[in-house]
Amino acid sequence: MLSEWFPNVIPEDLWIATQETMYMTVVSVIGTLILGVMLGLLLFLTDRGSLWENRAVYGVTAIIVNVFRAIPFIILILLLFPFTDFLIGTIRGWKAALPALIAGTAPFYARLVEIAFKEVDKGVIEAAKSMGAKAHTIIFKVLLPESMPALISGLTVTAIALIGYTAMAGVIGAGGLGNAAYLQGFQRNNFDVVVACTIIIIIIVFIFQFIGDLIAKAIDKR
Amino acid sequence: MIQIKNLKKIYQTKKQKVQAVDDVSLTINQGEIFGVIGYSGAGKSTFIRLINRLEEPTSGSIEIHEKEITKMSANELRLKRQKIGMIFQHFNLLWSRTVYDNIAFPLEIAGVAKSEIKEKVMELIHLVGLSGKENNYPSQLSGGQKQRVGIARALANDPEVLLCDEATSALDPETTDDILDLLVSINQKLNLTIILITHEMHVIQKICHRVAVMENGKVVEEGDVLDVFVRPQSKTTKRFVQQLNPLEHQQDKLAEFINDRDDSEVIKLHFIGKNTKRALISEIAKKFDVEVNILQGSISPTQEGSYGTLFIELNGANDVLTKTIEYMKQAGVEVEVLKHA
């Protein structure tokens, strides 16, 4: 039946493309999580009235985050080519897509992290201060656990945007399902390949959303 | 002992200066429950936050057990705060932690060993009456239970003083009484000094030994709860006392009993402390040739003893009335003759 509906799809090739997309997504999600939380934390802590209020640091961080969010992703990849070449040693393949993917989504996630921290009850932070907590105790034992459901659902939203970006990166040489849809499908006029790639991407998105919702719900004790 | 001298907090906004706390000086003795009462905006919330420097004082000094809080470095202050417990109107528990872990939190901050934490937390859970709830999350608890967790958490590091920021204002009257009873029992069991702020005179009456009344950032009246109740000086204090004593509102209803006749007087009696248990009325009825007509009365318990108010009408010859009133004064009861309108 598969060969009847999708005559031009080569299952082995599609499987490799799917794996590449998964690698790109998972590694970038991890990179985005780390970089995004760090940037979000910096934004939150250096904001006016916060623990490490510092206008200069807040201003610079905010500008960097806003600039990276403003650059269209497809142009960001091109802009980062020299940096990618230096860091990864190549500008082709799924690994070469990672710097652009992380640089493109981390600032977006950083803003979501900042919002999540702002939603944490000020009274709870005050209570921790009244107990004589150090700044790092407040960060790791109050801010992060108390904002965890929002951090997780923010990461889910970011991961899904990221899957879209991997397809774009695929078109200009990063491999994966975007690459397969474009080269094997669109360029060779095999529309069934485009449809097959679309279906797989939709399934991946659904899986991420499902897992994200599940975790966010499980840890939310409010 | 806690000594507060000339404490000031000024908020500088773009347009104006706000004197939230204006030159407050107080001495709070070891082991006493000290209440600060005021309407919202009186500066009491800022005042209690100045004590552990959650708000930085603009000027003045605070000494707790001869250590000057106001001169401490950030690190010294952090360590000192571990010995200053605080409970809040909205409890401020971590929703992500169980009852057990919430109470363990200040112990983790103080770097207490795990095995010791367990022992201490179980002891505290028992003290505040939450046995069996240790694995519940705050969202599964009622308001009163949440405040019990708050109290247990505040007591975890054996504090020298407990600060209560409107601790019962978010609770219903019955739960408020339970929490107040708990605070009294902790005060007695641990000889713990408690400073509380509230806008409810009921709280002051029920558990405080001494009280300060705040208005516009200033302390307008201060003293033993009983004295302040019986002889309120400032207008604000009188209004707070009236909250509790509905009879005060009804004085004009007594007006019809007050007349110009020489053989009749309407008298307000204040019974304080042990005098409340005295059978004064039957004493004077036997001793003097007077008729006593009881109009209305009430009695209110406080930490320092009870105080009662009684309105009576005395009928008798003029000189007998004078003698009777003199006798009641000698007996240590406050007598106030209500004048004809």
Side-chain angles (χ1 to χ4, degrees):
Chain A
M1 190 189 81
L2 208 64
S3 55
E4 210 174 289
W5 285 19
F6 300 100
N8 303 305
V9 168
I10 305 160
E12 291 76 22
D13 287 1
L14 209 60
W15 176 236
I16 289 167
T18 306
Q19 279 178 308
E20 283 173 348
T21 294
M22 290 300 286
Y23 288 146
M24 267 191 279
T25 309
V26 170
V27 178
S28 320
V29 164
I30 293 167
T32 299
L33 176 65
I34 295 166
L35 193 62
V37 168
M38 285 186 345
L39 284 172
L41 207 51
L42 201 60
L43 284 172
F44 175 81
L45 292 173
T46 57
D47 200 357
R48 193 190 301 236
S50 196
L51 259 59
W52 297 339
E53 181 174 339
N54 187 323
R55 279 204 177 163
V57 176
Y58 181 84
V60 170
T61 315
I63 288 169
I64 293 171
V65 165
N66 288 347
V67 164
F68 271 85
R69 279 200 309 160
I71 303 170
F73 183 67
I74 198 88
I75 297 172
L76 186 66
I77 303 175
L78 304 176
L79 272 173
L80 286 182
F81 265 164
F83 175 71
T84 304
D85 198 14
F86 165 76
L87 199 71
I88 313 284
T90 174
I91 56 162
R92 305 205 66 78
W94 70 267
K95 279 183 189 154
L98 296 177
L101 285 170
I102 294 169
T105 51
F108 173 70
Y109 186 53
R111 284 294 187 193
L112 296 183
V113 171
E114 187 193 5
I115 293 166
F117 288 159
K118 278 185 179 167
E119 294 288 308
V120 173
D121 187 354
K122 299 278 169 299
V124 177
I125 297 171
E126 189 182 49
K129 277 190 205 166
S130 81
M131 293 175 215
K134 287 180 185 157
H136 80 85
T137 312
I138 293 178
I139 292 168
F140 288 102
K141 293 199 165 182
V142 179
L143 272 180
L144 286 171
E146 293 284 297
S147 63
M148 201 48 89
L151 294 182
I152 297 290
S153 42
L155 191 65
T156 311
V157 173
T158 311
I160 287 164
L162 211 144
I163 294 167
Y165 285 170
T166 66
M168 256 188 264
V171 174
I172 56 170
L177 289 162
N179 187 51
Y182 184 68
L183 286 183
Q184 293 167 37
F186 183 75
Q187 294 281 31
R188 297 185 199 165
N189 234 349
N190 297 331
F191 195 67
D192 58 326
V193 177
V194 180
V195 173
C197 290
T198 310
I199 291 169
I200 295 172
I201 286 178
I202 289 172
I203 292 169
I204 295 175
V205 166
F206 278 19
I207 290 171
F208 270 85
Q209 186 70 54
F210 179 74
I211 294 172
D213 288 349
L214 211 65
I215 297 173
K217 207 179 158 196
I219 58 171
D220 197 343
K221 307 289 184 193
R222 276 173 290 193
Chain B
M1 197 167 82
I2 298 166
Q3 216 149 18
I4 295 162
K5 281 184 203 147
N6 306 103
L7 195 63
K8 279 187 193 173
K9 174 71 182 180
I10 301 167
Y11 289 107
Q12 186 76 55
T13 60
K14 271 176 195 159
K15 284 183 186 155
Q16 56 180 356
K17 270 186 186 174
V18 181
Q19 286 262 22
V21 173
D22 191 2
D23 204 12
V24 168
S25 298
L26 290 171
T27 302
I28 294 151
N29 303 320
Q30 173 61 36
E32 96 179 326
I33 305 184
F34 190 94
V36 176
I37 190 165
Y39 291 106
S40 53
K44 56 192 193 306
S45 205
T46 307
F47 167 73
I48 203 159
R49 280 172 173 69
L50 290 172
I51 296 176
N52 61 357
R53 277 173 66 190
L54 284 175
E55 297 273 1
E56 281 300 329
T58 309
S59 68
S61 74
I62 301 158
E63 270 180 34
I64 300 179
H65 293 308
E66 264 110 71
K67 297 260 166 54
E68 198 164 340
I69 303 286
T70 28
K71 281 199 177 134
M72 287 183 174
S73 69
N75 203 48
E76 283 171 327
L77 175 66
R78 206 175 52 68
L79 293 171
K80 186 70 179 177
R81 277 178 180 167
Q82 295 175 1
K83 290 284 175 194
I84 305 175
M86 190 166 189
I87 58 175
F88 304 86
Q89 179 175 7
H90 298 294
F91 325 122
N92 296 350
L93 304 177
L94 284 87
W95 63 257
S96 58
R97 286 174 169 241
T98 59
V99 168
Y100 180 98
D101 288 331
N102 263 294
I103 300 171
F105 188 40
L107 295 162
E108 289 170 24
I109 289 172
V112 177
K114 260 223 166 101
S115 56
E116 268 178 69
I117 289 183
K118 182 159 191 202
E119 199 179 314
K120 186 80 199 181
V121 172
M122 295 318 279
E123 183 192 317
L124 287 162
I125 286 177
H126 181 73
L127 177 74
V128 299
L130 282 177
S131 300
K133 297 272 181 204
E134 49 267 21
N135 293 322
N136 286 52
Y137 284 92
S139 61
Q140 299 165 309
L141 303 178
S142 69
Q145 289 171 328
K146 283 180 196 168
Q147 195 58 287
R148 282 167 193 272
V149 179
I151 292 170
R153 182 175 73 172
L155 296 178
N157 282 318
D158 303 317
E160 296 160 348
V161 53
L162 177 65
L163 308 176
C164 308
D165 175 17
E166 297 270 8
T168 57
S169 300
L171 303 173
D172 60 60
E174 208 163 305
T175 319
T176 295
D177 281 350
D178 290 347
I179 293 295
L180 294 178
D181 289 339
L182 177 62
L183 288 175
V184 172
S185 85
I186 286 163
N187 165 257
Q188 287 165 353
K189 241 184 247 176
L190 312 173
N191 191 30
L192 177 65
T193 312
I194 298 178
I195 303 177
L196 63 86
I197 62 164
T198 182
H199 61 265
E200 296 166 305
M201 202 60 190
H202 166 73
V203 172
I204 303 283
Q205 180 215 352
K206 195 162 157 86
I207 74 166
C208 292
H209 302 115
R210 286 200 302 139
V211 61
V213 182
M214 266 186 98
E215 196 182 5
N216 293 328
K218 288 191 171 74
V219 170
V220 292
E221 196 161 344
E222 187 204 337
D224 290 342
V225 168
L226 213 51
D227 283 344
V228 172
F229 263 87
V230 178
R231 283 177 285 269
Q233 304 295 320
S234 76
K235 213 174 169 185
T236 315
T237 316
K238 282 179 185 155
R239 274 169 72 196
F240 275 121
V241 171
Q242 275 180 16
Q243 271 182 16
L244 279 183
N245 194 351
L247 292 183
E248 299 283 338
H249 289 297
Q250 295 171 1
Q251 255 188 49
D252 47 341
K253 285 187 191 157
L254 295 168
E256 58 183 277
F257 290 95
I258 303 171
N259 52 47
D260 288 330
R261 281 161 45 201
D262 274 348
D263 61 348
S264 162
E265 294 281 11
V266 175
I267 291 167
K268 182 179 176 186
L269 301 171
H270 288 291
F271 296 84
I272 302 160
K274 60 182 190 310
N275 281 326
T276 45
K277 289 185 181 151
R278 220 173 138 170
L280 187 72
I281 300 301
S282 62
E283 261 176 53
I284 56 168
K286 279 179 200 157
K287 240 186 163 89
F288 300 95
D289 184 21
V290 289
E291 275 173 36
V292 184
N293 178 20
I294 294 173
L295 302 176
Q296 55 184 5
S298 76
I299 195 160
S300 320
T302 76
Q303 279 298 306
E304 299 284 270
S306 305
Y307 87 91
T309 313
L310 186 66
F311 291 90
I312 57 171
E313 187 186 13
L314 287 181
N315 294 317
N318 199 352
D319 59 329
V320 179
L321 287 185
T322 317
K323 271 186 202 159
T324 312
I325 291 166
E326 200 49 46
Y327 177 81
M328 289 191 291
K329 279 183 184 165
Q330 297 282 316
V333 174
E334 292 241 340
V335 182
E336 192 181 325
V337 179
L338 300 183
K339 286 288 165 231
H340 327 130

